[in-house]
Every structure is written in structure tokens, then in C-alpha cells.
Amino acid sequence: MGYKALCLGLSCILLAYHVYRPIPEGIEEPWKVQILDASVKMLSLLALLVENVGIMKFEELYVTLSSMTSIRPSSDENTTVIDTDLGDIPVRLYLPTRTSGDRRPAVIYLHGGAFVMGSSRLSVYDFLNRDTASVVGAVVVSVDYRLAPQHQFPVPLEDCLSAVKFFLQDRVLREFGVDPARVCVAGDSSGGLLAAQVVQALKSDPEFADKIKAQALIYPGLQLLDTLTPSYVEYQHGPILPRDVLIKLVCLYVTKDQALPRAMLKNQHLPRSSHHLLKFINWSVFLPEKYKKNHVYTEPVTGMLNASYFSLVLPTLPLLANDSVLQSLPLTYVLTCQHDLLRDDGLIFVTRLRNAGARVAHEHLEDGVHGALAFTLFPFRLQIGHRIKDKYIHWLKENL
Ligand SMILES: *[C@@H]1O[C@H](CO)[C@@H](O)[C@H](O)[C@H]1NC(C)=O
Ligand SMILES: *[C@@H]1O[C@H](CO)[C@@H](O)[C@H](O)[C@H]1NC(C)=O
Ligand SMILES: *[C@@H]1O[C@H](CO)[C@@H](O)[C@H](O)[C@H]1NC(C)=O
Ligand SMILES: *[C@@H]1O[C@H](CO)[C@@H](O)[C@H](O)[C@H]1NC(C)=O
């Protein structure tokens, strides 16, 4: 009995030691973030456990838990909400109640979730998109693209592209009363990457080249080449999104081969043929001085992993485009958070866009944490999540 109690006690201490990380200084509601962070770490331990015991895959636990917050479409006095298809892609549509015959702007929203989880139906995304429709007076199209690992690259991207192209047809825009000159593509985290990829792909298609007015990217991940930028190093243990979990999930986007996440953890996952692309994401060149601190640039090692899993993704990554492509991009809004391992992806993109002469609006939240938009509702309600949502919506209202 005493022995069992001792074991239990020791396990608890070990577990607490493993999940407890001091929260960085200057974060609002630190104890809430602390609890959330510990819960997320417990979740990743649990996910590893269920995977090893053979109950379900690592990612399935995340998917199962997040989909528990799915809600049905429900209209209110300001917005009609319906689930429908655009072409054959499922979407949730938010149509603001019309007060005049004027045509209105539109936002196509691509949710985050590391390409393996998330949905337009999750309560937090419903809340965000409903507010966007109501405050901006915009038609919002929240796209349910298919997810990895069942549907790997390029399926999620192609789903987003076909939904956007379907929506941009004159007949469809007219049906929803949308002004064709005021369409924005937006997304958070991996959805931010999808949004930027969609916008870049449309640019190279003569039929659609000038049909997007703006892109809005909220703490986007924009490159998968260097996983040891200063922010990746400083925030490798979170809060909220640790580096090993991100890598484990994101790799499923291209393969189930475990050699990829192992190589990516060491920053040695790139094919030799991609070496010439590293100059586009060299943080020692593009990161503002204050974020470099005493970090020393080391090049990601190429040619170690024989299988070149990322070769097909690389040409679609916005951060690997040359300056003439960047310069042609529409007005771009980037919101970055300080306490976020993807912070430098956004910061490098902002520098590169500015250097190329593109129009870019940048907001940086010194007390921001990655994924805060997923914590705007009871029982995980963070002020910072609400501030990010309000800043994004405010920007749309002023610029779309
Ligand atoms: C509808 O819009 C009004 C005015 O902006 C706002 O006060 C109200 O809270 C909105 N209703 C809902 C359900 O969002
Ligand atoms: C990155 O930039 C540094 C200078 O800051 C340079 O020495 C290095 O060669 C660059 N590496 C790549 C791959 O561009
Ligand atoms: C890669 O392939 C080469 C030649 O096929 C082989 O000699 C080498 O051991 C492989 N490297 C790894 C890391 O598998
Ligand atoms: C930039 O990239 C585009 C698309 O890949 C290519 O067509 C163009 O020639 C490149 N421009 C320069 C200056 O390298």
C-alpha cells in the first residue's frame, strides 16, 4: 500500500515536472495560459500513450477532442448561417442581413489545425466568422477542406483553391451580392499558409490574377525548411504549441514515414535540390535585429534524408517566391505573436514583402501566444484571443 502510494506520488511529481514550464514574462492572464499549456502538454502525453498502446493514432486524439466542440449552423438577427457546398467543397456560409441593395465585401476563411484537425464548424471558428460577417458586413465563406493524414498534400490546398475559384465566378458573386473588387482570403496558422498559397496560385492564373483584393494571415506558418529559427528555438516548449508536436502533426501532411519527423527535429529533412532556396528564408538576413538576440545562424542540412518528401510542397510556399512574385501580391495583413514558434515565419515574410515593394500591414502582439484564437470561448477564454480577433476584424473593416 505504502509502496503504491509512493509510486503514485512519484509519478505525479514526474508528470508535473514534465508538463510544467514557466510561462514567459509579460503574458496576460498568466495562470490561465499556464493551465492551458499544461493541459495541452498532458494531451500530447496522452496522445503518445494511446498511440503506443494501439488505441488510436496520435493525431486522432486531437481530432476527436477538437471535433467535440462542433456546432450546427444557427442564424441570428444579423447573420444567416448555412452549411452548403461550393462546387463539391463543403463550406459554412455567413450572410449578413441586407440593409440595402449595395454589394458587400467577402472573406474566404481557411481554418488552422496543422492540416490534420479543425473545421469551420468548431465553435471558436464559428464565433470568429460570425463576428466578421456581422461587424464587417462581409459575406464569409469558411472552407472545410479535406485533412491529412487521409488526404495529404496537395489535396487540402486544391480543395481550398477550387472553393475559392468556384466562389469567384461572376454568377456566384452576384448570387451572394458580393462586390467582386472586395474579396479577401484569410486564415490562421496552417490556414494562413493555405491562404497565402491560394493567393499566390491565383496570381499565376490569368483568369484570376487580379480577383483578390487582400490576404489576411494570422500567426501563419509559412515555411517548413528551417525549424531552428530563433522563435522555433525560444518557444520549442510552447506555450501551447511545442516544436515536437508541431513537427509530428505537420509531417503527416506529406507522409506517414516516421523518418521525416525524426529528420525534421534535427533540421535535416530537406532534399539537396532545395539548398538554393535557403537564401529566401535566411533569418540572419531578414529578421529585424531585436529578434536575433544572441542566436547564431546555422544552415539547415540538406541531402541527409534520401526521400524528398517536401519537394512538391516547396514550389507552393509563399516565402520561397522571388521578389517579382512577392511584389505582385495583393495588400497583405500579417499578425504575429511574440510567444510563438512560428513568429519568425511571419516576420521574415513581412521583411521580404517590404523589400520587394509590396503593400503590407503588420501587427505584432508582444504578449501574443500561438493559437489564441482557439481560446475565445468558455471554459478556455483568453483575453488575448479576443484581442487578436478584434484586431483582425478591425483591419478588415478598415481595408476591405
Ligand atoms: C447584431 O448587431 C448589433 C449591432 O452591431 C449588435 O449589438 C448585436 O450584438 C448583434 N447580435 C448578435 C447576435 O451578434
Ligand atoms: C545567410 O546569411 C548569412 C549572413 O547573415 C550568410 O553568411 C549565409 O551564407 C547565408 N546562408 C544562406 C543559406 O543564405
Ligand atoms: C541514401 O542513399 C544512398 C545511395 O542510395 C545510400 O548510400 C545512403 O546510405 C542513404 N542514406 C540514408 C541516410 O539512408
Ligand atoms: C520569379 O519566379 C517566377 C515564378 O517562378 C518566374 O517566372 C520568374 O522568372 C522569376 N523572376 C526572376 C527575376 O527570377
Side-chain angles (χ1 to χ4, degrees):
M1 181 65 205
Y3 176 70
K4 276 188 189 160
L6 184 67
C7 280
L8 185 66
L10 277 177
S11 318
C12 287
I13 291 168
L14 270 176
L15 186 64
Y17 177 76
H18 191 86
V19 299
Y20 176 78
R21 291 272 165 187
I23 291 300
E25 296 272 312
I27 285 186
E28 199 179 15
E29 303 177 293
W31 59 272
K32 267 199 202 172
V33 176
Q34 183 84 69
I35 291 171
L36 265 178
D37 185 54
S39 316
V40 172
K41 295 224 167 76
M42 293 278 281
L43 177 62
S44 73
L45 283 180
L46 190 62
L48 274 180
L49 183 75
V50 297
E51 179 167 74
N52 284 324
V53 175
I55 300 174
M56 57 168 82
K57 291 295 214 182
F58 184 81
E59 67 279 5
E60 283 167 1
L61 184 66
Y62 284 81
V63 174
T64 308
L65 286 179
S66 70
S67 57
M68 281 165 63
T69 67
S70 288
I71 54 174
R72 297 178 163 282
S74 68
S75 301
D76 61 40
E77 78 249 39
N78 301 328
T79 317
T80 305
V81 184
I82 46 172
D83 283 349
T84 181
D85 293 334
L86 285 185
D88 47 11
I89 310 297
V91 299
R92 181 163 287 187
L93 258 183
Y94 299 80
L95 301 164
T97 308
R98 299 195 81 162
T99 47
S100 71
D102 291 348
R103 289 185 300 176
R104 50 224 175 147
V107 177
I108 299 159
Y109 196 84
L110 308 175
H111 67 78
F115 309 106
V116 299
M117 59 186 154
S119 141
S120 71
R121 289 136 211 247
L122 302 191
S123 53
V124 285
Y125 284 118
D126 187 77
F127 177 56
L128 171 73
N129 289 320
R130 179 183 300 271
D131 249 30
T132 308
S134 153
V135 177
V136 181
V139 171
V140 179
V141 182
S142 184
V143 181
D144 274 313
Y145 54 90
R146 283 171 289 173
L147 298 170
Q150 287 78 13
H151 305 283
Q152 293 176 324
F153 180 87
V155 174
L157 176 57
E158 281 175 352
D159 281 0
C160 295
L161 253 177
S162 53
V164 172
K165 286 183 175 174
F166 188 94
F167 184 72
L168 288 174
Q169 296 173 91
D170 293 339
R171 156 184 86 72
V172 178
L173 294 175
R174 212 174 314 117
E175 181 188 334
F176 294 125
V178 171
D179 180 349
R182 295 168 74 200
V183 178
C184 173
V185 183
D188 63 293
S189 195
S190 54
L193 174 57
L194 288 167
Q197 287 174 308
V198 163
V199 168
Q200 192 176 310
L202 293 179
K203 263 288 156 196
S204 61
D205 183 335
E207 196 189 331
F208 294 97
D210 297 312
K211 296 211 165 172
I212 301 296
K213 178 173 185 185
Q215 55 178 340
L217 317 176
I218 303 169
Y219 43 71
L222 294 168
Q223 57 95 22
L224 307 160
L225 290 86
D226 189 350
T227 67
L228 287 175
T229 65
S231 59
Y232 260 104
V233 173
E234 285 173 41
Y235 301 106
Q236 60 182 301
H237 299 298
I240 312 291
L241 180 63
R243 182 170 174 270
D244 55 349
V245 173
L246 173 75
I247 287 178
K248 202 166 162 57
L249 294 178
V250 152
C251 285
L252 294 168
Y253 188 34
V254 289
T255 181
K256 287 183 184 171
D257 183 351
Q258 290 300 312
L260 181 64
R262 278 199 300 273
M264 202 167 177
L265 280 170
K266 291 187 269 180
N267 219 22
Q268 300 181 344
H269 54 295
L270 296 175
R272 199 181 305 282
S273 58
S274 64
H275 187 264
H276 68 288
L277 298 170
L278 294 175
K279 64 174 183 291
F280 291 126
I281 51 149
N282 188 335
W283 63 259
S284 75
V285 175
F286 299 116
L287 207 56
E289 282 306 319
K290 69 180 267 208
Y291 300 104
K292 290 186 191 168
K293 298 197 181 152
N294 44 11
H295 293 274
V296 178
Y297 181 77
T298 49
E299 246 177 55
V301 178
T302 58
M304 289 290 276
L305 187 70
N306 276 350
S308 50
Y309 290 118
F310 279 116
S311 320
L312 292 175
V313 186
L314 298 181
T316 70
L317 293 178
L319 217 38
L320 301 184
N322 62 33
D323 284 4
S324 51
V325 172
L326 292 187
Q327 199 230 334
S328 73
L329 291 178
L331 174 61
T332 300
Y333 171 79
V334 183
L335 185 146
T336 51
C337 289
Q338 176 64 25
H339 308 287
D340 175 4
L341 76 183
L342 299 178
R343 177 197 71 190
D344 296 346
D345 286 24
L347 293 175
I348 293 171
F349 197 43
V350 169
T351 308
R352 288 212 52 216
L353 285 168
R354 286 196 177 132
N355 290 355
R359 287 176 309 143
V360 50
H362 177 215
E363 279 192 282
H364 181 71
L365 279 88
E366 281 298 337
D367 55 355
V369 291
H370 189 83
L373 277 180
F375 307 111
T376 49
L377 297 173
F378 179 82
F380 304 114
R381 192 180 185 284
L382 292 181
Q383 285 302 333
I384 185 70
H386 281 256
R387 269 196 290 131
I388 291 172
K389 169 175 144 305
D390 293 345
K391 277 184 183 297
Y392 154 76
I393 289 177
H394 179 77
W395 186 84
L396 289 174
K397 195 168 163 60
E398 298 289 305
N399 292 281
L400 190 59

